[in-house]
Amino acid sequence: MNEHDVKFLEDSFKKYYFEHFDQIHVPKKTSEREFGYQKFNSGMIRHISIKDDKELHLLLMKNVPSDVYCSNAYYSFPNLPMNEKEWKEADMIFDIDSKDLHLDCRMSHTVSICGNCKTISEYSNQCKNCGSAKLDKKSLPCKNCIEGSKNEVNKLSEILIDDLGVDKNNISVYFSGNEGFHVYVYDSQFQNLGSRERSELADYILFKGVIPETFGMKKFKPERSLFPDLSEKGWRGRFSKEVFKTKTKRPKVVTELISAGYSQFQKYLETLSNQIGVRIDPNVTIDIHRIFRLPGSLNSKSGLTKLYCKNISRFEPYSEASLLSDEKVEVLAQCPVEFKLKNRKFGPYNNEVISVPTFAAVYMICKNLATVSQNVK
Amino acid sequence: MLALGQDEIAKYPFLADAGQYLKEQGFTLEQFGTDPDLAPLIEKAYNRIHAACEGDPQSYKSDIIENQVSNTAALPREVFSFLLSIVLLKLTGIPTLAKRFALSEAMRAESYLEKDLKNISNGSNELPIRIIEDLFSITIKKHDDFFVMPISDYIKHSVYFHEREWKLINRHVENGQVFLTPHQTVRLVRKELGTYITSKILTGKKPSMIPGFEKFVNNLLSYSKKFSVSVVSTGEYPPCIKHAIEVLEKGENLPHSGRFMLATFLLSKGQSVDQIAPLFKNAPDYNERVTIYQLNHLAGTSGSGTQYSCPSCEKLRTQSLCFAIPECDNIITPLQFGKRTK
Ligand code: SF4
Ligand SMILES: [Zn+2]
Ligand SMILES: [Zn+2]
């Protein structure tokens, strides 16, 4: 990214932070957390302690970071190197990202940037200009993808509450600031679990590692009565709703399942895992030493805010989380796909100098689809 | 300490405080070695160990029949033979015998525990429940034909099972609790019950020889040769590292401290995460996703930037991971092994 763009982004981010201190807070048990940040065009700075909101706001003003992070773990000495921190416990975090849903709409709102000649084009697997296959993919806002992610968040919440016994009030959902959601679980019975144990929880949520016996199917002499029922709790209940649909259809489907046989059933369970399992990223859930984007801070992949969602079904990330100013700026844009922010349509732009609001300009620059026009100023 | 009834001590003798029990019964250890009336009890203890180590517990004649002690006189005999077994094993000081004995005793206790669990009533807090809570920190409650426990307690133990039926996804889970049958409940803690009994034998000072016990101790010492494996420690790796690799290769559980030592050692020797990961394949709780994550974490490649260093020999000694040989003289970390410095 060139220095003019960096300067423009830093100015815009700084303005946001200055005007939104009320929305950016240190999390509970601040003194036990590790913080970290990154500046545009530079590496990560980690192992920092922050005392309170004031210190955090000072850091934002002084360093104007591109991204700010905070650990889900609690440590005795968060500012020491990793091996001396003394891990105590960690909140559980689930990451749901639209790109993991592999929806059909995906290609239509993804652009490709050639790693070799930098040519920007609509979604493709090979650069039209130089033929290189090294393409960087950037996805633009899509309502369908967000709805899909919301649906996963709802499925996850249901399992957390009904199966894992998590108190509803201890679950917080955040828009990630780009294309997905982060679900935080505080003060649960799982706080002190290690990675290996968290991996078990992840598999439970993903519907991974299931054996046919769990749903009543046996290798020899399967019994109809062992198959689950629609009224059951947990996965057996969800399985029934998905597979039998209604009580009246159950006998017929059970007959079909039994006659298809055990190994067929096993295969069926695997396909089912893509439908009823929740698409969380297990590598995030097992990580008990990671630092996560701080709620209220900006995401440098988009200039959108990582925002708390009070009501997930009514939440509109591409208007609510776009909190940068409306002030117009001129940029040179090369954005082959149309996108919508704050209910306004932008693009497509074909290498043209345009005047757009700051939030849209930042969005495109963060995605490498525009650059601050040099002849301005 | 749990308060125990008479039957219960016979079934779960490892719960008793040996010294106190003997005192209450009005005996001293020395008496067993010298009093001709008591001598058969040492013999019985010896047989109990022998049967356990042979993997043939049936050949030991227990006085407990049908979950009840057959008669009042039999009860102390049963407890004494256990306590004397422990004393003999302590005097012998061979870990392999202790482990084999403990595993066999754990399996015996397991069958009593399962029957006792089946017989308790809803909401009660009887001995089997308290054993599981005291020894393994699992809070269980009876719920109709099942026992329920918090999910977190369940997974801390279940991750050590290879079989997929132990995965949480294959269990009845509801409202933060896992539902298990008495059989499954007891299976969940079998290994740890063995570990618990082993630790009872191996911890504490080795007592001095008691007159009348020598013969049995000597017999056990020569018997134990049958199980000895000779560890050849030559070549590039120090014995602590070799030992850790062997434990993993056998599919046994290497404690976290041991895994930490092994991984940090190999990383420091320049091996990559991909090269090291397969070593852990046989671990009872192996999980590829987690192993890769943990190795990357230790290597500092996951973002933290901190590479962990291999612990010192001194630290490893306190963790019972050191198996020093003469070549280990004058080194302070396993990384120095084999590098001759003057
Ligand atoms: S002395 Fe050091 S290198 Fe040798 S076995 Fe013990 S810990 Fe390993
Ligand atoms: Zn190109
Ligand atoms: Zn989409």
Side-chain angles (χ1 to χ4, degrees):
Chain A
M1 199 175 287
N2 74 47
E3 53 188 296
H4 297 280
D5 289 334
V6 169
K7 171 92 176 45
F8 171 66
L9 292 181
E10 282 187 339
D11 289 348
S12 311
F13 276 38
K14 189 167 186 177
K15 186 160 186 283
Y16 164 83
Y17 284 126
F18 186 70
E19 286 169 0
H20 293 86
F21 279 158
D22 54 325
Q23 288 190 15
I24 308 157
H25 301 291
V26 289
K28 279 195 302 184
K29 295 206 219 164
T30 320
S31 64
E32 299 182 9
R33 311 271 196 163
E34 177 198 351
F35 290 82
Y37 68 89
Q38 227 167 338
K39 285 170 71 75
F40 288 101
N41 284 350
S42 99
M44 176 83 86
I45 297 161
R46 277 188 75 161
H47 315 299
I48 306 175
S49 280
I50 289 182
K51 260 209 326 278
D52 50 22
D53 282 354
K54 230 178 164 175
E55 232 179 77
L56 172 66
H57 297 161
L58 193 69
L59 180 142
L60 295 174
M61 284 301 103
K62 226 173 90 192
N63 297 295
V64 200
S66 62
D67 302 273
V68 189
Y69 305 94
C70 171
S71 66
N72 58 330
Y74 304 83
Y75 302 100
S76 303
F77 311 105
N79 56 341
L80 293 187
M82 195 48 89
N83 48 1
E84 295 164 33
K85 283 188 181 357
E86 282 186 20
W87 189 89
K88 292 169 133 176
E89 55 180 83
D91 300 327
M92 272 209 295
I93 300 193
F94 300 97
D95 178 32
I96 290 170
D97 197 306
S98 299
K99 78 172 182 305
D100 298 330
L101 304 183
H102 307 294
L103 299 176
D104 293 339
C105 54
R106 205 73 205 149
M107 278 200 224
S108 70
H109 54 83
T110 300
V111 297
S112 303
I113 305 178
C114 176
N116 188 28
C117 73
K118 308 285 172 233
T119 299
I120 299 170
S121 62
E122 290 180 33
Y123 183 95
S124 66
N125 286 320
Q126 205 180 25
C127 174
K128 277 187 206 127
N129 185 37
C130 75
S132 165
K134 271 206 340 232
L135 297 173
D136 192 15
K137 305 276 191 324
K138 301 275 178 187
S139 164
L140 303 184
C142 166
K143 193 149 168 81
N144 189 41
C145 278
I146 282 299
E147 289 309 314
S149 296
K150 284 183 181 178
N151 186 36
E152 296 301 305
V153 171
N154 288 331
K155 278 158 67 184
L156 173 63
S157 304
E158 185 192 309
I159 293 175
L160 288 175
I161 296 165
D162 295 347
D163 295 23
L164 304 190
V166 172
D167 184 336
K168 205 172 161 218
N169 299 316
N170 287 334
I171 302 176
S172 296
V173 180
Y174 299 90
F175 169 59
S176 72
N178 195 24
E179 282 205 279
F181 294 93
H182 295 166
V183 179
Y184 286 53
V185 174
Y186 306 102
D187 293 329
S188 71
Q189 56 164 308
F190 310 111
Q191 285 292 111
N192 64 11
L193 293 186
S195 299
R196 180 66 189 87
E197 290 80 12
R198 286 174 198 238
S199 179
E200 259 323 274
L201 291 173
D203 281 344
Y204 185 86
I205 290 161
L206 286 158
F207 197 77
K208 279 266 157 65
V210 203
I211 53 173
E213 285 80 358
T214 302
F215 296 93
M217 186 66 180
K218 292 195 297 182
K219 272 205 182 96
F220 305 106
K221 296 198 189 149
E223 294 162 48
R224 305 185 66 87
S225 64
L226 293 177
F227 281 77
D229 203 78
L230 277 94
S231 63
E232 279 184 66
K233 299 252 170 87
W235 277 119
R236 282 175 57 94
R238 284 188 288 273
F239 173 95
S240 306
K241 276 166 212 137
E242 175 73 19
V243 178
F244 305 143
K245 305 271 187 319
T246 65
K247 223 180 145 166
T248 41
K249 285 190 195 143
R250 183 180 180 275
K252 189 171 161 262
V253 180
V254 170
T255 308
E256 284 166 12
L257 290 171
I258 289 179
S259 67
Y262 184 88
S263 56
Q264 206 52 42
F265 193 92
Q266 177 73 64
K267 277 197 201 113
Y268 179 55
L269 287 176
E270 273 146 39
T271 31
L272 209 54
S273 121
N274 293 326
Q275 294 157 32
I276 61 178
V278 183
R279 309 286 186 88
I280 55 166
D281 178 347
N283 292 316
V284 171
T285 301
I286 67 169
D287 199 338
I288 55 172
H289 300 102
R290 192 180 285 219
I291 47 176
F292 290 85
R293 192 174 297 291
L294 186 73
S297 72
L298 294 170
N299 187 330
S300 74
K301 286 182 203 144
S302 64
L304 301 174
T305 302
K306 172 160 174 177
L307 202 62
Y308 174 69
C309 313
K310 257 204 205 82
N311 180 335
I312 179 92
S313 46
R314 266 191 276 141
F315 180 71
E316 302 258 12
Y318 297 118
S319 52
E320 290 175 49
S322 180
L323 294 167
L324 299 182
S325 85
D326 290 340
E327 203 183 317
K328 291 263 174 135
V329 275
E330 262 182 34
V331 293
L332 173 66
Q334 166 71 343
C335 179
V337 169
E338 177 188 294
F339 66 95
K340 217 169 146 186
L341 279 182
K342 281 202 194 172
N343 292 318
R344 287 176 56 182
K345 275 188 192 152
F346 299 94
Y349 304 116
N350 183 14
N351 215 6
E352 47 199 296
V353 174
I354 45 158
S355 175
V356 289
T358 300
F359 63 86
V362 167
Y363 186 84
M364 285 188 285
I365 294 171
C366 286
K367 301 259 174 204
N368 276 324
L369 302 174
T371 169
V372 177
S373 184
Q374 311 259 337
N375 44 18
V376 209
K377 265 190 200 170
Chain B
M1 231 343 108
L2 294 159
L4 300 167
Q6 292 296 299
D7 273 16
E8 292 167 343
I9 299 192
K11 283 191 271 188
Y12 311 113
F14 49 86
L15 297 174
D17 178 325
Q20 200 192 328
Y21 184 82
L22 288 173
K23 235 197 347 283
E24 276 169 19
Q25 304 290 321
F27 292 108
T28 63
L29 272 181
E30 286 69 25
Q31 277 175 276
F32 288 93
T34 45
D35 188 333
D37 288 341
L38 295 175
L41 282 170
I42 308 193
E43 182 108 35
K44 192 172 161 77
Y46 177 85
N47 290 336
R48 189 167 183 158
I49 297 171
H50 193 270
C53 293
E54 284 293 304
D56 179 22
Q58 306 305 331
S59 71
Y60 164 72
K61 244 182 98 277
S62 165
D63 291 317
I64 305 182
I65 296 160
E66 292 283 318
N67 218 29
Q68 294 287 320
V69 180
S70 50
N71 63 56
T72 17
L75 179 124
R77 278 215 298 276
E78 199 50 33
V79 183
F80 283 140
S81 81
F82 177 84
L83 297 179
L84 291 171
S85 300
I86 302 262
V87 174
L88 285 176
L89 287 166
K90 270 184 187 286
L91 287 169
T92 312
I94 305 280
T96 328
L97 295 187
K99 275 186 204 154
R100 288 180 163 255
F101 175 78
L103 185 67
S104 162
E105 287 297 321
M107 280 161 78
R108 176 202 310 282
E110 183 184 329
S111 69
Y112 297 133
L113 202 52
E114 187 178 336
K115 284 183 201 132
D116 285 350
L117 277 178
K118 276 189 188 135
N119 292 331
I120 66 174
S121 44
N122 265 346
S124 89
N125 189 25
E126 289 169 50
L127 185 70
I129 291 197
R130 281 180 287 130
I131 291 180
I132 289 175
E133 193 161 336
D134 272 35
L135 264 47
F136 311 112
S137 316
I138 307 179
T139 321
I140 63 166
K141 271 204 211 95
K142 177 142 175 146
H143 191 281
D144 299 327
D145 288 341
F146 294 95
F147 286 88
V148 297
M149 63 185 69
I151 294 173
S152 50
D153 285 354
Y154 173 81
I155 15 184
K156 280 178 199 158
H157 299 264
S158 70
V159 290
Y160 294 101
F161 289 83
H162 278 304
E163 300 87 350
R164 288 218 287 178
E165 63 156 306
W166 288 93
K167 284 188 76 65
L168 187 64
I169 181 93
N170 294 309
R171 291 284 175 230
H172 176 172
V173 173
E174 210 177 303
N175 207 12
Q177 308 275 338
V178 181
F179 288 63
L180 296 180
T181 63
H183 178 70
Q184 291 163 340
T185 308
V186 172
R187 268 293 274 125
L188 187 65
V189 297
R190 173 194 287 174
K191 266 221 180 99
E192 282 139 298
L193 190 56
T195 314
Y196 175 81
I197 299 174
T198 314
S199 76
K200 275 217 143 183
I201 303 170
L202 293 179
T203 52
K205 267 211 326 277
K206 188 169 166 176
S208 44
M209 186 53 75
I210 303 160
F213 282 52
E214 300 95 334
K215 188 181 101 198
F216 298 101
V217 171
N218 287 334
N219 281 350
L220 283 175
L221 279 172
S222 56
Y223 171 61
S224 74
K225 300 233 161 67
K226 180 176 163 180
F227 302 106
S228 73
V229 271
S230 56
V231 185
V232 213
S233 282
T234 49
E236 48 175 331
Y237 290 157
C240 47
I241 300 297
K242 285 202 158 167
H243 174 261
I245 295 175
E246 276 165 19
V247 169
L248 285 174
E249 276 173 353
K250 275 189 259 168
E252 287 173 11
N253 192 33
L254 184 65
H256 274 288
S257 50
R259 297 179 195 203
F260 181 86
M261 166 193 74
L262 182 58
T264 50
F265 177 87
L266 295 173
L267 286 166
S268 298
K269 287 275 174 193
Q271 293 209 18
S272 69
V273 167
D274 290 340
Q275 282 172 308
I276 302 171
L279 271 180
F280 294 89
K281 275 224 156 80
N282 289 333
D285 60 337
Y286 177 74
N287 174 303
E288 188 178 359
R289 183 196 287 154
V290 176
T291 301
I292 299 284
Y293 158 71
Q294 283 169 338
L295 288 174
N296 275 318
H297 178 67
L298 294 180
T301 45
S302 58
S304 79
T306 319
Q307 171 161 5
Y308 287 68
S309 45
C310 185
S312 66
C313 294
E314 192 182 328
K315 175 98 199 228
L316 296 171
R317 260 192 295 279
T318 65
Q319 293 172 325
S320 316
L321 293 167
C322 169
F323 298 87
I325 53 171
E327 283 92 321
C328 289
D329 284 357
N330 299 324
I331 60 171
I332 51 170
T333 120
L335 290 167
Q336 293 169 324
F337 183 86
K339 287 183 195 157
R340 234 159 263 223
T341 44
K342 280 222 168 153

